């Protein structure tokens, strides 16, 4: 029975891209993750084990403790007894249902690789809870069903009416489908799939362009690619038709805005704008529907958008989404570092898009972007132990960023749950016999793509025959890779090994000039087949080394990729990176972090021609390769004179930062004097002890770090805030090292309106501590302004005191925050 279920899972995974008997579909077939066994204890083996033993159990426990299951139980209770209603406003989000769906999807992937009866029984119990909340016609949305007369304020007073805004009904459905199909593939059990099909049928019936239907498109995309997947799992054409409707009517319904990519029809879009996760999910859905329907207009639009990203909007870490304002793409070349949003979910979405473009075209440049994202901006989002998460992934920190065990808006941790276990499915792909069209090679023979490099054993279906191969490598720490054919009855086929863009001298795919290597190094690679370069026909096409022969058991391909530290500069149009360099080695971006450098890493000036030494270390019990180089530290002494000191700068892989406490971190390092930020001399505020009315106020160190915003929209410097508090009086106090006379205070207020929940305060004032310890308002204050983007300054009668307090009255309907509080 287990063999039958495994075979069924294998077939369905293939069907998720190319339906049997169909003329359309992705021309390249993925090798399912169930067919790839990653070697334990290796770079990715450790990550998969942490996901299985820590991340997924943690996510399930948070679904219990944070009320996710309770929402379904409440909805079920109301369905059984309509007199029972439950509070849904102020206790969560309208998309909280997706946390169990995504975690179930990740658990399904784990179950296919590591069968576990206890985990499966737990998943079954969760599915029972979910199913109990389904309304008689199939609708399943706990934000409404718990209290239909007074649903969540994002839900609207009836079904779908706020779908284009914030209800997330179709978003919830999309994640339900993804989890349900995965669980069916893993176990052969249909219960969750049937629940998802019933909800999908309600959507198909009630949403659409016809009379009596709600003509709306998703406010948050994912239903598009989920419906395509459901079509392939069930063969029901209505699901594919619905996916296409959701795309075709975008930009034609009531809400038209860049935030949700509804500002114009999808085929007329050529720039990545708006909420980055929504955008990436939509682009992935467009690729799926294009592959299944042959719609070339979709593909052209995705091509244009992809080039806009890699030429103007991609972080060196592969992250996307520059600004916290709308969690969105910024303007062209707007790539700030400290305020970089680079949401973990957006990195996952970026992988989805590039993966699908590869399946459409078979060109390595898409995997070059995918690999950059995977090794840097994606896995940085989860700790090495699997129990701490980043929501944004900045490229610079003053210490205000910490990994969290969970978030109120928990999309990133639960998304990590479902992505990491699926990683083995990204390693290989197969193209069946072709006639040499674009992206193919071999005059009608099959091709096997080797896209990622990690130790594993895999079983592939090549031309209807089995091929078992294995990889041995210590990648990404070195570039030595051995591919062994352990079994093959497939005869002649082309083995296409991706030669990474970083090895060919391209930080990003040409002709993009967003980033370039500036060290004039020319890296190379070597290969052999059974010890010789003459034992296979060799060529190079579409970024792949193509080795063609009649492969047999025992054949070995040995590759060596030169792997040296490289120096990268950004296009001068990227203001945040002017005069600065980033350091890479292989697929990894490096950063300087506080535990390894006993000086201010922000003050480091990298040599004009730096030399690097490789070292070894451990972070969170896992081995890493470090880089060391000579640098200079710029500082101001007590007299305000600039001083220079030679230092050794130590760099670690970016993904490993913030495992050893919070502190300063930087990816882009000054190399030009114009880009330096010397360590600032101490001030009365910077030497003061800070206390607050609110315990654990986020990034409280921001208020006396001597960094102020350049303007009202500058988010490149740290800030703190009182969110989600509203309509209360709060305070921050400085206790000076010794008694001092003060007469002026400058406050730089933080406001993230119109998107966020922080505005300038309703009122504020300065108080001082008397000798008896009482707090008294300062006298003679000339006003308490509330400017944004510039200092709000108050002058008052000089007073000698040991402590000063900033008292803030929060707005009635918003919170407040500040960048800096200066006292003189």
């Amino acid at each position: 029975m287990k063999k039958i279920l495994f075979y069924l899972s294998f077939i369905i995974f293939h069907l998720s891209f190319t339906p049997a008997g169909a003329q359309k579909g992705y021309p390249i077939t993925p090798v399912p993750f169930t067919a790839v066994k990653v070697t334990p204890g290796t770079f990715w083996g450790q990550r998969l084990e942490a996901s299985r033993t820590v991340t997924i159990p943690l996510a399930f426990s948070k679904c219990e403790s944070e009320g996710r299951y309770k929402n379904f139980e409440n909805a079920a209770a109301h369905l059984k007894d309509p007199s029972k209603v439950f509070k849904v406003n102020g206790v969560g989000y309208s998309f909280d249902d997706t946390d169990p769906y995504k975690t179930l999807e990740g658990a399904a992937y784990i179950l296919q690789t590591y069968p576990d009866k206890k985990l499966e029984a737990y998943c079954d119990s969760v599915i029972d809870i979910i199913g109990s909340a389904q309304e008689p016609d199939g609708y399943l949305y706990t934000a409404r069903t718990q209290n239909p007369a007074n649903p969540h304020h994002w839900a609207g007073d009836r079904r779908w009416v706020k779908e284009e805004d914030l209800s997330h009904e179709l978003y919830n459905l999309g994640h339900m489908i993804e989890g349900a199909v995965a669980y069916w593939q893993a176990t052969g059990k249909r219960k969750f799939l049937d629940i998802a099909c019933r909800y999908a049928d309600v959507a198909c019936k009630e949403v659409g362009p016809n009379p009596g239907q709600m003509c709306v498109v998703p406010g948050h995309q994912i239903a598009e690619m989920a419906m395509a997947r459901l079509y392939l799992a069930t063969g029901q054409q209505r699901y594919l038709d619905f996916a296409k409707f959701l795309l075709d009517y975008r930009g034609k319904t009531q809400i038209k805005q860049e935030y949700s990519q509804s500002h114009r029809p999808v085929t007329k879009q050529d720039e990545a704008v708006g909420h980055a996760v929504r955008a990436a999910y939509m682009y992935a859905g467009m690729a799926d529907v294009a592959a299944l329907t042959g719609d070339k207009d979709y593909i052209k639009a995705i091509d244009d958008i992809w080039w806009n990203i890699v030429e103007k909007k991609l972080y060196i870490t592969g992250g996307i989404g520059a600004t916290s304002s709308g969690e969105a793409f910024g303007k062209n070349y707007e790539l700030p570092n400290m305020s970089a949003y680079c949401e973990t979910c957006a990195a996952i979405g970026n992988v989805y898009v590039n993966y699908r473009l590869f399946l459409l075209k078979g060109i390595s440049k898409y995997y070059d972007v995918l690999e950059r994202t995977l090794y840097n901006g994606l896995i940085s989002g989860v700790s090495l132990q699997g129990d701490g998460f980043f929501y944004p992934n900045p490229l610079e920190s003053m210490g205000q960023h910490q990994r969290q065990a969970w978030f109120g808006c928990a999309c990133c941790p639960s998304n990590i749950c479902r992505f990491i276990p699926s990683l083995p499915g990204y390693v290989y792909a197969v193209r069946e016999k072709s006639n040499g069209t674009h992206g193919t090679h071999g005059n009608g023979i099959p091709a096997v793509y080797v896209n990622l490099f990690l130790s594993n054993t895999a079983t592939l279906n090549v031309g209807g025959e089995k091929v078992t191969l294995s990889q041995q490598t210590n990648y990404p720490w070195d570039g030595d890779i051995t591919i062994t054919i352990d079994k093959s009855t497939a005869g002649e086929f082309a083995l296409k090994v991706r030669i990474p863009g970083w090895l060919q001298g391209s930080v990003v795919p040409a002709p993009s000039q967003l980033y370039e290597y500036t060290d004039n190094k020319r890296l190379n690679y070597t290969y052999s087949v059974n010890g010789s370069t003459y034992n296979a026909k060799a060529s190079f096409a579409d970024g792949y080394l193509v080795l063609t022969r009649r492969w047999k058991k025992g054949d070995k391909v040995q590759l060596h990729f030169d792997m040296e530290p490289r120096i990268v500069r950004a296009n001068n149009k990227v203001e945040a990176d002017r005069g600065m360099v980033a350091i890479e080695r292989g697929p990894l971006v490096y950063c300087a972090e506080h535990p390894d450098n006993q000086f201010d890493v922000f003050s480091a000036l990298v040599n004009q021609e730096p030399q690097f030494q490789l070292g070894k270390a451990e972070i969170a019990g896992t081995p890493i390769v470090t880089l060391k180089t000579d640098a200079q530290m710029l500082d101001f002494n007590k007299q305000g004179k600039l001083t220079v000191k030679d230092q050794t700068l130590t760099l670690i892989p970016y993904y490993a930062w913030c495992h050893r406490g919070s502190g300063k971190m930087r990816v882009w390092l000054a190399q030009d004097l114009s880009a330096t930020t010397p360590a600032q001399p101490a001030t009365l505020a910077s030497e003061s002890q800070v206390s607050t009315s609110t315990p654990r106020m986020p990034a409280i160190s921001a208020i006396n770090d001597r960094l102020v915003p350049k303007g009202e929209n500058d988010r490149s410097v740290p800030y703190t805030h009182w969110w989600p508090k509203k309509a209360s009086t709060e305070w921050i106090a400085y206790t000076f090292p010794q008694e001092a006379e003060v007469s002026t205070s400058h406050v730089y207020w933080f406001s993230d309106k119109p998107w966020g929940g922080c505005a300038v305060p309703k009122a504020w004032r300065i108080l001082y501590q008397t000798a008896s310890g009482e707090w008294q308002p300062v006298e003679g204050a000339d006003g308490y302004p509330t400017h944004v983007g510039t200092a709000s300054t108050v002058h008052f009668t000089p007073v000698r005191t040991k402590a000063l307090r900033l008292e803030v009255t929060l707005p009635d309907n918003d919170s407040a925050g500040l960048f800096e509080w200066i006292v003189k």
Side-chain angles (χ1 to χ4, degrees), residues 221-537:
Q221 299 90 316
I222 198 176
E224 299 84 351
M225 57 177 169
M227 281 291 183
R229 186 175 187 182
L230 189 59
Y231 156 67
L232 292 162
T234 64
Q236 296 298 316
Q237 181 69 33
R238 64 181 177 276
Y239 299 141
L240 179 59
D241 293 343
F242 189 65
K244 197 167 190 309
F245 158 77
L246 296 178
L247 291 168
D248 286 345
Y249 272 75
R250 198 161 209 88
K252 302 174 184 177
T253 57
Q254 183 177 2
I255 293 182
K256 298 178 176 67
Q257 58 181 3
E258 287 191 349
Y259 173 75
S260 58
Q261 299 77 42
S262 58
H263 57 300
R264 61 179 66 163
V266 296
T267 56
K268 303 297 182 183
Q269 297 187 30
D270 57 9
E271 180 181 358
V273 297
H275 190 273
V277 181
R278 285 168 163 84
Y281 286 179
M282 185 181 84
Y283 307 150
M286 289 170 67
D288 284 343
V289 175
L292 293 169
T293 65
D295 193 320
K296 294 181 180 179
D297 289 339
Y298 282 5
I299 298 172
K300 182 185 182 305
I302 304 168
D303 283 343
D304 290 343
I305 293 166
W306 186 84
W307 277 115
N308 174 250
I309 292 171
V310 300
E311 290 185 327
K312 299 171 183 176
K313 298 191 177 185
L314 182 72
Y315 278 91
I316 194 171
T317 57
I320 55 174
T323 173
S324 61
S325 179
E327 301 177 330
F329 287 100
K331 299 175 183 177
N332 289 337
Y333 302 107
E334 182 187 354
L335 296 166
N337 293 312
M338 192 176 298
S339 62
Y341 207 67
C342 293
E343 186 180 337
T344 301
C345 289
I348 292 172
N350 201 23
V351 167
Y352 289 162
V353 174
N354 282 279
Y355 180 54
R356 284 160 166 79
L357 286 171
F358 161 76
L359 293 175
L360 278 170
K361 303 186 180 187
I363 304 174
S364 70
K365 65 184 179 183
Y366 302 114
Y367 254 92
D368 290 340
V369 177
L370 187 156
E371 182 184 61
R372 177 171 294 277
T373 304
L374 180 65
Y375 276 95
N376 300 290
L378 195 157
I379 59 172
S380 61
V382 58
S383 69
L384 289 158
Q385 304 96 321
D387 60 355
F389 307 92
F390 278 138
Y391 196 112
N393 291 271
L395 282 73
E396 194 172 277
S397 180
M398 293 286 292
Q400 73 271 37
H401 302 93
Q402 299 91 28
R403 296 183 185 275
Q404 304 291 329
W406 199 250
F407 302 97
C409 173
C411 56
C412 293
S414 52
N415 231 354
I416 283 287
C417 282
R418 74 190 190 107
F419 179 81
I420 295 295
S422 73
L423 174 85
Y426 291 85
V427 180
Y428 302 104
V430 174
R431 187 158 200 161
E432 297 303 337
K433 296 179 181 180
S434 65
N435 295 317
T437 55
H438 182 69
T440 68
H441 179 85
N443 297 323
I445 63 172
V448 171
Y449 293 84
V450 182
N451 284 316
L452 295 177
F453 308 107
L454 58 151
S455 292
N456 69 86
T457 300
T459 300
L460 290 63
N461 188 322
V462 181
E465 300 290 337
K466 272 190 177 182
V467 173
T468 301
L469 56 79
S470 56
Q471 277 192 60
Q472 293 80 40
T473 182
N474 198 31
Y475 195 91
W477 307 124
D478 67 46
D480 295 321
I481 302 155
T482 299
I483 302 170
T484 304
I485 305 298
D486 298 312
K487 179 182 178 181
S488 177
T489 58
E492 186 181 24
F493 62 88
L495 188 68
K496 305 186 73 168
V497 182
R498 183 176 65 90
I499 305 302
W502 59 260
L503 186 58
Q504 300 180 65
S506 296
V507 185
V508 284
S512 173
Q513 296 179 327
L514 185 57
Y515 304 108
E516 293 182 336
Y517 294 118
T518 61
D519 50 24
N520 297 317
K521 293 180 180 179
R522 293 181 65 119
L523 304 189
N524 203 352
Y525 69 93
T526 59
Y527 73 92
S528 68
V529 179
N530 299 333
S532 171
T533 59
Y534 299 103
N535 288 329
K537 296 176 185 177

Side-chain angles (χ1 to χ4, degrees), residues 160 202-216 242 245:
W160 321 112
V202 171
C204 291
K205 178 182 177 182
E206 297 182 354
V207 176
N210 302 315
Q213 292 182 306
M214 290 287 293
C215 190
V216 294
F242 189 65
F245 158 77

